[in-house]
Amino acid sequence: MMPKLPFLKSSRAEIARGILIPALLLFSPPLWAHSFGRIYTLPVPFWLYAWGGAAALLLSFVVVGWFATAPVSTKTSQGIDLTCFARALRRLHLPAVLQTLALLCLLLCIVSGYIGSRDPYRNINMTLFWVIFILGFAYAVALLGDLYARINPWQTLAQLISRFWHGFAQGRWAYPQKLAYWPALALYMAFIWLELFGFIRPPELSRWLLIYTGINLVAVYAWGARAWFTYGEFFAVFLRLLALMAPVEYVPGQRLALRWPFVGILNQPTPPWSLLIFVLFMLSSTAFDGLRATVPWFKLFWLDPTGLLTLWQGRPPIQAFIELRPWYFAYETLCLLLSPFLYLALYLLFITLTKWCARSPLPVRTLALRFALSLLPIVLVYHFTHYYTLLLNQGIKIVSLSSDPFGKGWDLFGTQMLLRAPILPDLKFVWHTQVGLIVLGHIASVWVAHIEALRLFKTRAAAAWSQIPMLFLMVGFTTFGLWILAQPLQEGR
């Protein structure tokens, strides 16, 4: 979900890109592993990694096809019930404490942006929001279940207002069924656009958090808290989808249980189109962020391989950098907004082949929606492999920032000098971790899709045949993901 950290961008960096990159492109640098921020030559040629990933997927397809059977039931009664443990935690008031802490963190992010330092590295709100919440908490949810459903600070704020304004969170109108998850998708797209192109600093982050808070409160007043935090609040939708893959099933006030990882995906009803496109945007926005940082993407516009921009400007595009910069901005914006629909077209093509291979009477629409959530493991590993090094580089600094949240030179908890230096893991370890996780994520998707196929089609043979197109789709995603990670970068992370 989160592309690059906004506080790693600056107008100076933009100017440097326009001046220095044309010179750098005249040389042939070694490969940079994505998000490393320094030059790294791959241990073996890229094509070996691509073939290795494809072979792993093919082998997993054979194994899954041979051993997998459709579960008799996917009811939540399966698993190890930990509800008694959850009741004990409630007696200790832990959920209420976490709920209060989340609301205080939101308020701290807003206040620190206005009264704290404008230096994004000294102000806590940038690291707390972009790294700890958007990255660290997202991975915690993928491991521990949907904690956000219990501690959502905007939901807590709506509940507090309801204590003084009776009926505030009940809503004035019924939530339109046709809206489904479209509001969440629109807000998600706006969030990614702001993160990529907004040049956000601490004051701007506070301003946008206030605006988002206002949007949530108005929507709760209009449609009610239950409907809005189910369909409209995009963080809730995003984190709920990640929680489906967790080995912990957590339903606030109802159930806490252990289960097999990824089983939660199989327990879901058929999603609407809006949720399918939301999932595809989770995938495409991460891929787009990785792609737009690479030299091939830069060359595609500024070196003008088609010659059209040169014909329009009367000179090479790189020499018209100032004039074409707004057009490049619009071009990248358009690519971002169209990316989930391009993925949708590709996905529907392979779903059509799936229908043909299985000779299924089910319409393409039904098959597309039934297999939609099988893409979630790929979403998770793409997100993690692109950004987890930021937790090591910047996330650990939350320890020192907690003692000096406003950048005023305080030392409230005696931790100001702790963990100030980033952790820089060995680049070979990072690269192989990225490769391994991408392959494992695609294998998990192959397994989920095959189980769904066994439910949909009458015979094991039809299910196996139906998954051949999906296997090729997974191989394509794997190769593309590894290719992006292996490309030279036009700017360091």
Side-chain angles (χ1 to χ4, degrees):
M1 179 178 171
M2 187 199 115
K4 288 180 290 188
L5 290 177
F7 55 87
L8 297 183
K9 304 173 185 174
S10 69
S11 58
R12 186 175 299 174
E14 294 295 326
I15 296 171
R17 182 187 302 179
I19 297 174
L20 297 179
I21 290 177
L24 293 175
L25 291 177
L26 297 176
F27 301 91
S28 178
L31 290 177
W32 292 46
H34 189 58
S35 86
F36 291 165
R38 36 191 178 126
I39 295 175
Y40 175 62
T41 303
L42 299 184
V44 297
F46 168 73
W47 65 267
L48 281 179
Y49 286 106
W51 277 106
L57 283 177
L58 179 60
L59 179 60
S60 69
F61 173 80
V62 174
V63 172
V64 168
W66 184 266
F67 290 104
T69 58
V72 176
S73 172
T74 57
K75 294 180 180 179
T76 55
S77 59
Q78 296 177 345
I80 303 174
D81 192 359
L82 300 177
T83 305
C84 293
F85 179 66
R87 284 197 288 266
L89 293 178
R90 283 198 296 271
R91 292 191 196 101
L92 295 174
H93 304 290
L94 182 60
V97 170
L98 294 177
Q99 192 176 28
T100 303
L101 181 61
L103 181 58
L104 290 176
C105 285
L106 173 61
L107 295 176
L108 177 61
C109 283
I110 293 173
V111 171
S112 63
Y114 284 112
I115 68 174
S117 170
R118 292 183 61 87
D119 183 349
Y121 291 98
R122 295 175 58 203
N123 194 313
I124 196 173
N125 75 344
M126 301 295 281
T127 298
L128 182 58
F129 180 76
W130 292 110
V131 183
I132 302 303
F133 174 59
I134 299 298
L135 294 184
F137 187 75
Y139 304 149
V141 163
L143 182 64
L144 301 175
D146 194 7
L147 302 175
Y148 187 74
R150 183 67 175 85
I151 68 172
N152 184 336
W154 290 285
Q155 184 171 283
T156 302
L157 187 59
Q159 292 170 352
L160 288 175
I161 293 175
S162 294
R163 293 186 179 183
F164 303 96
W165 183 348
H166 182 68
F168 170 79
Q170 299 303 313
R172 300 298 174 270
W173 305 283
Y175 187 82
Q177 274 192 326
K178 290 184 178 179
L179 278 182
Y181 294 94
W182 294 114
L185 176 63
L187 289 171
Y188 186 21
M189 286 182 163
F191 171 76
I192 296 297
W193 184 90
L194 281 171
E195 199 284 331
L196 282 175
F197 306 114
F199 303 103
I200 296 176
R201 292 292 184 268
E204 287 78 19
L205 175 58
S206 295
R207 193 174 305 123
W208 284 113
L209 286 175
L210 276 177
I211 292 173
Y212 187 64
T213 299
I215 291 172
N216 281 316
L217 294 180
V218 169
V220 167
Y221 176 80
W223 295 309
R226 180 184 295 274
W228 180 250
F229 290 114
T230 299
Y231 297 104
E233 205 273 286
F234 81 92
F235 287 124
V237 177
F238 178 85
L239 294 170
R240 191 185 313 130
L241 290 170
L242 292 185
L244 295 178
M245 295 174 280
V248 177
E249 179 188 10
Y250 176 60
V251 181
Q254 299 180 33
R255 179 174 171 79
L256 179 67
L258 293 178
R259 63 187 179 189
W260 289 106
F262 306 108
V263 165
I265 298 174
L266 300 171
N267 294 333
Q268 302 306 302
T270 303
W273 278 107
S274 54
L275 192 60
L276 166 59
I277 298 175
F278 191 99
V279 171
L280 290 172
F281 188 65
M282 292 170 71
L283 186 61
S284 68
S285 61
T286 304
F288 174 77
D289 175 48
L291 181 62
R292 70 184 288 268
T294 64
V295 169
W297 175 264
F298 181 86
K299 288 181 177 180
L300 186 63
F301 186 94
W302 292 108
L303 296 192
D304 191 23
T306 64
L308 295 177
L309 292 175
T310 302
L311 182 64
W312 174 35
Q313 288 291 313
R315 53 179 171 165
I318 201 65
Q319 296 179 13
F321 181 84
I322 301 300
E323 295 85 349
L324 289 180
R325 179 62 186 165
W327 291 96
Y328 185 62
F329 174 80
Y331 162 72
E332 289 199 308
T333 297
L334 182 63
C335 289
L336 173 66
L337 299 181
L338 289 180
S339 64
F341 301 101
L342 294 175
Y343 272 54
L344 177 64
L346 181 66
Y347 175 70
L348 291 178
L349 171 62
F350 281 88
I351 288 295
T352 302
L353 294 175
T354 292
K355 171 182 169 65
W356 182 80
C357 288
R359 302 189 182 281
S360 172
L362 295 173
V364 170
R365 179 184 187 279
T366 299
L367 294 175
L369 296 177
R370 289 294 294 270
F371 285 110
L373 298 184
S374 67
L375 298 173
L376 284 176
I378 304 176
V379 170
L380 177 60
V381 296
Y382 267 40
H383 192 277
F384 187 80
T385 54
H386 277 73
Y387 309 125
Y388 84 94
T389 53
L390 291 174
L391 284 171
L392 302 176
N393 296 336
Q394 183 66 26
I396 61 169
K397 296 180 183 179
I398 195 67
V399 176
S400 59
L401 288 170
S402 62
S403 278
D404 186 19
F406 304 134
K408 303 291 187 181
W410 302 346
D411 193 6
L412 299 176
F413 307 111
T415 61
Q416 188 192 37
M417 302 306 296
L418 294 179
L419 300 177
R420 293 174 64 90
I423 297 175
L424 301 175
D426 179 71
L427 297 186
K428 185 179 294 186
F429 169 79
V430 173
W431 168 252
H432 285 113
T433 300
Q434 290 173 325
V435 172
L437 286 173
I438 284 181
V439 173
L440 286 175
H442 285 79
I443 289 174
S445 284
V446 167
W447 176 77
V448 172
H450 192 80
I451 296 298
E452 190 63 46
L454 289 171
R455 293 175 175 177
L456 285 172
F457 306 121
K458 295 181 179 179
T459 65
R460 289 173 62 90
W465 278 106
S466 75
Q467 290 309 288
I468 292 177
M470 294 298 288
L471 174 63
F472 280 100
L473 179 62
M474 300 300 179
V475 169
F477 278 149
T478 300
T479 305
F480 183 57
L482 292 177
W483 179 83
I484 289 176
L485 287 173
Q487 291 309 297
L489 299 183
Q490 59 165 303
E491 58 179 318
R493 288 277 175 169

